[in-house]
Amino acid sequence: EVQLVESGGGSVQTGGSLRLSCATTGVTFDDYAIGWFRQVPGKEREGVACLRPSDGSIYYKDSVKKRFSISSDNAESTVYLQMNSLRPEDTAVYYCAADYWGSSCAVDDYDYWGQGIQVTVSS
């Protein structure tokens, strides 16, 4: 059974940093794409950063490039999202998700989701 559990969210001021963690069970990293997504009320969920550990390919949403970094620790079965230079527009519920044999960062392609964690950036 695949399970994803996010941690590390919270509230920071503009310019601050947070590191989100996604602890996985039942996921063999070589067989999955792992992504971070976010959603604000009234808007569609969007892909922020996605990683395919098997070949190291990474996608970032344009607005987070050079600020966010996705990485994985295969030994710990954990995926991280380091978020620097945070802005109020980064405020959202962040979700970790896994896609078996995936290669995209499209929400509809992902099969398994965590429960989500709140990130709030105040100005």
Side-chain angles (χ1 to χ4, degrees):
E1 181 184 6
V2 174
Q3 291 187 326
L4 308 169
V5 179
E6 302 97 337
S7 62
S11 297
V12 295
Q13 292 188 328
T14 297
S17 297
L18 285 173
R19 188 176 80 157
L20 304 183
S21 298
C22 175
T24 73
T25 55
V27 175
T28 302
F29 277 17
D30 282 348
D31 295 340
Y32 284 80
I34 310 291
W36 286 97
F37 300 79
R38 68 187 182 188
Q39 189 170 22
V40 298
K43 293 191 176 181
E44 293 186 350
R45 194 170 297 186
E46 62 181 8
V48 175
C50 296
L51 167 69
R52 189 167 62 185
S54 61
D55 63 9
S57 60
I58 293 176
Y59 161 87
Y60 290 106
K61 179 179 172 60
D62 283 347
S63 63
V64 308
K65 287 179 180 177
K66 299 184 180 181
R67 300 190 299 122
F68 290 11
S69 177
I70 187 171
S71 62
S72 65
D73 184 331
N74 289 14
E76 296 294 328
S77 299
T78 300
V79 177
Y80 302 97
L81 185 67
Q82 177 67 44
M83 305 186 294
N84 300 324
S85 302
L86 282 161
R87 306 167 179 168
E89 54 264 38
D90 295 318
T91 296
V93 176
Y94 283 72
Y95 298 88
C96 175
D99 178 21
Y100 185 62
W101 285 116
S103 61
S104 80
C105 209
V107 171
D108 290 345
D109 289 346
Y110 280 71
D111 307 303
Y112 304 97
W113 292 84
Q115 79 284 358
I117 193 163
Q118 179 70 44
V119 170
T120 302
V121 185
S122 58
S123 57

